[in-house]
Amino acid sequence: MKTVLFNLTDGELEKFVTDLSQPRFRAKQIREWLNRGAPDFASMKNLPEDFRSKLGEIAETLPVKIVKKLESSDNQTTKFLLELGDGEQIECVLMRTTYGNSVCVSSQAGCAMGCKFCASTLLGLKRNLTVNEMFAQILVAQWELRGDKVRDIKPNGDANNGDVSHIVVMGTGEPLQNTENVIGFLERANTEMNISWRRITVSTCGIVPGINDLNKWGRPINLAISLHAPTDELRSSIMPINNKYKVREVLDAAFAFSATHNRQLMIEYILLGKKDQDGSIVLYNANEDHALKLAELMRGHNVMVNLIPWNSVDERDFASISGNAVHRFQDILIKNGIHTRIRRERGADIGSACGQLRLKNAKKG
Ligand code: SAH
């Protein structure tokens, strides 16, 4: 198997190059290229050509390889299908926004959570991702943005300088089933990529001990809770994890986290419909009563409710609801004094939502 140079320590990388009869400083040159996200050795222009082709034969740069790259017609969203050393595939998405460049990172290959509306979990969990496999996802995005230009490392620098500035751990997988590696990855993103804690968000389906672990870790990141229903009965019907951790427990842990850091808690709420026998669409978790119950849960807390139009997944028998129904739901929250916004759909045309690309590719293969 080829050696993945990104996985080597500085000492190991030096030994690797000197074993190939190259001077030690080549290790430093290679490291600089890797830290910019160089996908191949051909890009490493200051290395001698025969050394580059030798490296191509025996080594890989990063622990992820781009299998597919899709650009959305919105011109702001790029989705990558990436392959890991053992052939597993993951997705990561780069979103260029007015506030900076955000990367949606996967934390697991597949997912064990079994949420009924989601594509990521359809093939089950394969395995946790390593720290390097998560870090490499932001390097892929960084290379896409800046190519061989050196990253502009300014403390508290301008988020719009063209580098990766934000991380959302909201891709495939449940980050709090892989908490130790997620924390290791974020620590490195903070020190090595200078991404500030406040520009990092971890999204969870509500694993209470994991939320408490993040709280103990003590970094002032943003927490997002995938709530999707205001009652235990309804939530358990779409999210099996709710049989273990109830709405009240999850929210209490999450409110405690946001209180520690004085941060606004993000609540994610997908608005789901279901097809009736006669083909009309009934609101599944999105009627007036649900909105009132949700408002009740949120009252008095520093929260932002993100309403998410469902990205349809063929294998799942839910339906999207009308724009009017979305706005009616939002109006009730607003009237009850709850901060809320409707999440813009990004890259729906490139299957940018939630494990769809990986699923399609697995089916073909
Ligand atoms: N496991 C974590 C993070 C990954 S899912 C979590 O549950 O938060 C990221 C977000 O996408 C979650 O809020 C999830 O519920 C949502 N999601 C999953 N499938 C979706 C779909 N088809 N359409 C819209 N949002 C979806």
Side-chain angles (χ1 to χ4, degrees), residues 5-303:
L5 299 193
F6 187 74
N7 290 343
L8 302 184
T9 62
D10 287 342
E12 288 165 348
L13 190 56
E14 274 192 12
K15 178 165 187 321
F16 188 87
V17 301
T18 49
D19 283 353
L20 294 169
S21 318
Q22 289 286 327
R24 273 187 16 207
F25 71 84
R26 296 273 179 240
K28 196 162 167 266
Q29 289 176 317
I30 293 173
R31 181 68 69 195
E32 277 168 12
W33 285 110
L34 295 173
N35 288 343
R36 290 173 211 171
D40 50 43
F41 297 106
S43 320
M44 303 187 175
K45 291 189 208 111
N46 53 358
L47 303 183
E49 212 164 318
D50 52 344
F51 182 45
R52 277 188 262 163
S53 55
K54 177 77 195 158
L55 286 174
E57 286 162 28
I58 59 169
E60 303 277 4
T61 56
L62 302 176
V64 302
K65 251 200 306 225
I66 301 174
V67 178
K68 221 179 240 174
K69 186 174 108 182
L70 299 176
E71 296 288 345
S72 170
S73 56
D74 67 13
N75 276 330
Q76 292 168 335
T77 312
T78 309
K79 180 160 193 165
F80 301 92
L81 182 68
L82 304 172
E83 190 166 285
L84 311 177
D86 60 358
E88 286 300 331
Q89 293 189 339
I90 56 166
E91 299 179 10
C92 107
V93 187
L94 165 64
M95 295 164 284
R96 301 163 186 84
T97 73
T98 49
Y99 57 81
N101 297 303
S102 184
V103 186
C104 179
V105 172
S106 290
S107 56
Q108 297 181 312
C111 183
M113 295 296 99
C115 298
K116 297 280 189 282
F117 43 79
C118 178
S120 291
T121 196
L122 280 165
L123 302 173
L125 174 67
K126 300 299 182 208
R127 65 174 175 85
N128 279 337
L129 300 190
T130 64
V131 169
N132 281 349
E133 286 165 342
M134 286 184 265
F135 199 88
Q137 294 174 58
I138 54 175
L139 291 179
V140 165
Q142 177 67 20
W143 185 264
E144 179 69 20
L145 288 165
R146 300 273 281 174
D148 60 5
K149 286 184 208 67
V150 180
R151 190 180 156 80
D152 192 7
I153 308 250
K154 281 188 238 141
N156 306 315
D158 173 9
N160 283 319
N161 61 4
D163 291 323
V164 170
S165 57
H166 291 67
I167 296 175
V168 292
V169 187
M170 232 182 241
T172 299
E174 170 47 49
L176 299 186
Q177 279 209 316
N178 188 14
T179 313
E180 205 182 311
N181 287 349
V182 167
I183 286 178
F185 154 59
L186 295 176
E187 284 286 343
R188 277 186 57 189
N190 177 258
T191 35
E192 292 174 33
M193 300 278 278
N194 202 42
I195 294 173
S196 77
W197 300 117
R198 289 167 190 272
R199 291 175 177 169
I200 292 174
T201 302
V202 171
S203 175
T204 175
C205 64
I207 302 203
V208 171
I211 298 172
N212 296 336
D213 287 344
L214 286 185
N215 208 349
K216 272 184 235 135
W217 175 42
R219 303 299 195 183
I221 59 164
N222 305 292
L223 181 66
I225 301 289
S226 297
L227 191 63
H228 307 326
T231 64
D232 282 319
E233 196 191 349
L234 192 61
R235 192 166 191 264
S236 297
S237 76
I238 48 176
M239 300 178 71
I241 191 67
N242 197 72
N243 294 311
K244 194 151 183 197
Y245 306 111
K246 302 288 180 218
V247 170
R248 191 65 267 159
E249 284 174 76
V250 173
L251 288 180
D252 284 346
F255 291 147
F257 180 91
S258 54
T260 303
H261 301 302
N262 199 16
R263 301 294 287 160
Q264 189 175 56
L265 178 69
M266 191 199 286
I267 297 289
E268 291 159 280
Y269 199 102
I270 306 179
L271 295 164
L272 297 167
K274 212 157 198 172
K275 273 222 174 85
D276 219 350
Q277 279 115 331
D278 66 4
S280 59
I281 289 169
V282 238
L283 300 175
Y284 188 79
N285 64 349
N287 67 27
E288 189 180 328
D289 183 47
H290 299 135
L292 287 168
K293 287 204 167 92
L294 178 60
E296 198 51 48
L297 290 173
M298 299 296 119
R299 186 156 297 136
H301 294 285
N302 182 14
V303 295

Side-chain angles (χ1 to χ4, degrees), residues 325-341:
V326 173
H327 283 108
R328 270 199 300 277
F329 193 92
Q330 186 184 34
D331 283 346
I332 295 170
L333 294 181
I334 293 171
K335 282 203 189 92
N336 282 276
I338 311 298
H339 293 294
T340 165
R341 61 179 169 222

